[in-house]
Amino acid sequence: MNTPAAETPPLELLPRDLAPYRQGNTGIPWVHRFESGRPGPHVLVNALTHGNEFCGMVAATHLLDAGVRPLVGTLTVSFANVEAYMSFDPARPFESRQLVHNLNRIWSAAQLDGDEDSPELRRARELRPVLAAADHILDLHSTAQDVQPFWVYPAFARNSAAALALGRPAVHMVMPSGLGSGTPVIQHGLHGQSSHHGVALVAECGQHFRQASGELATAVALDFLAHFGLVAPRPRPALPQRRFELLQTCMVKTTGFAFARPLLGFETFAEGELIATDGDDEIRAPCPDCTVLMPTRAPIVGREAVYLTRPMPVVA
């Protein structure tokens, strides 16, 4: 038995023509940079790491269309995997996530400096200096299932402090040992090191095709810029915070992968309870109150099946 939402969800949010944003002003297509002329941090807002996650497109185009400019420091707005975005087919809305590689798993030096080639690797190599130049990174994403929004970030104190200060989303998935299935944008280079000063967060803003995901992504982008002083202060939502520690990233190994019961995300399992089977292997909860995040809606061998987490304390 697999996830209960294999049918196409309502398509409230659809692509728009991004041709007017291609030129940018950095020499790298789809990348726009604005300098205040005053000292301050360099903040990157990145959209469309996955081609069918339209919320970031909504936020990025809002920043550009509204003429948002930094009061201090530098603002960069980037559209990452536009090639995948342009492949979107409403009859198969989940297939434009990537063309070959997952653009959010290939940011290790080994892959970027290697001989392998794909549209995503070419784009990552093109964007490498964009990420390296940024002090702080907000990478905007959305989820296949219609679940509450949440942060994802490496377990550095600087990331936790920023996400808790921002206040929304109010749920956090904290990665003490990385993602477990590759190197994401927010762990590329210095942002993956504990000694670095820069904050790097993913905001999962809701279901891919819900209008609300675009609205939240826009609000979170403005919150992030305000937090670092690039735009005027914004009120912090008074929402109770919940944090989950990533314990294990389970990959799909066989075509026989199946969940033990239908899952959307945030379901809990008792220690030892069966979560899924994958061929002859069983995936069982490794701890009490094991909470599953981002269960796959359609298992594909070699891709993530589910993230196993446990509740953790909220600390300022």
Side-chain angles (χ1 to χ4, degrees), residues 293-306:
L293 271 67
M294 293 186 283
T296 180
R297 63 180 298 278
I300 298 174
V301 173
R303 295 193 189 180
E304 292 88 346
V306 64

Side-chain angles (χ1 to χ4, degrees), residues 100-101 106 110-118 121-122 125:
V100 178
H101 285 99
I106 58 174
Q111 280 196 279
L112 294 178
D113 293 336
D115 296 330
E116 198 172 3
D117 185 46
S118 71
L121 279 165
R122 289 194 294 274
R125 290 163 183 149

Side-chain angles (χ1 to χ4, degrees), residues 102-150:
N102 182 340
L103 184 55
N104 205 30
R105 301 291 184 274
I106 58 174
W107 288 90
S108 68
Q111 280 196 279
L112 294 178
D113 293 336
D115 296 330
E116 198 172 3
D117 185 46
S118 71
E120 283 82 11
L121 279 165
R122 289 194 294 274
R123 183 58 173 162
R125 290 163 183 149
E126 196 170 42
L127 289 174
R128 202 173 187 178
V130 178
L131 268 66
D135 293 299
H136 309 297
I137 298 172
L138 175 64
D139 192 20
L140 294 165
H141 287 254
S142 54
T143 52
Q145 305 288 11
D146 198 0
V147 296
Q148 58 197 304
F150 55 97

Side-chain angles (χ1 to χ4, degrees), residues 102-303:
N102 182 340
L103 184 55
N104 205 30
R105 301 291 184 274
I106 58 174
W107 288 90
S108 68
Q111 280 196 279
L112 294 178
D113 293 336
D115 296 330
E116 198 172 3
D117 185 46
S118 71
E120 283 82 11
L121 279 165
R122 289 194 294 274
R123 183 58 173 162
R125 290 163 183 149
E126 196 170 42
L127 289 174
R128 202 173 187 178
V130 178
L131 268 66
D135 293 299
H136 309 297
I137 298 172
L138 175 64
D139 192 20
L140 294 165
H141 287 254
S142 54
T143 52
Q145 305 288 11
D146 198 0
V147 296
Q148 58 197 304
F150 55 97
W151 297 108
V152 180
Y153 51 84
F156 302 135
R158 63 184 186 262
N159 290 333
S160 298
L164 288 166
L166 287 161
R168 66 176 163 185
V171 178
H172 309 240
M173 187 176 85
V174 183
M175 304 185 297
S177 303
L179 194 57
S181 55
T183 304
V185 166
I186 59 171
Q187 287 189 281
H188 172 62
L190 293 176
H191 288 93
Q193 299 180 16
S194 60
S195 59
H196 189 49
H197 68 279
V199 168
L201 308 176
V202 160
E204 299 278 359
C205 297
Q207 207 280 333
H208 299 327
F209 313 117
R210 294 288 188 189
Q211 182 176 338
S213 70
E215 294 168 353
L216 180 62
T218 302
V220 169
L222 291 169
D223 291 347
F224 195 79
L225 297 179
H227 179 75
F228 292 107
L230 273 69
V231 301
R234 291 166 55 84
R236 179 190 184 278
L239 301 172
Q241 304 290 298
R242 293 194 298 151
R243 302 175 82 215
F244 297 89
E245 179 186 17
L246 177 63
L247 301 175
Q248 183 181 352
T249 301
C250 300
M251 306 298 289
V252 178
K253 298 177 182 177
T254 74
T255 56
F257 180 94
F259 289 114
R261 56 183 167 98
L263 298 177
L264 292 174
F266 291 97
E267 295 85 356
T268 59
F269 289 79
E271 186 171 11
E273 185 177 355
L274 183 66
I275 297 172
T277 56
D278 194 357
D280 295 331
D281 295 338
E282 293 183 338
I283 298 171
R284 292 186 176 272
C287 64
D289 298 319
C290 179
T291 304
V292 299
L293 271 67
M294 293 186 283
T296 180
R297 63 180 298 278
I300 298 174
V301 173
R303 295 193 189 180

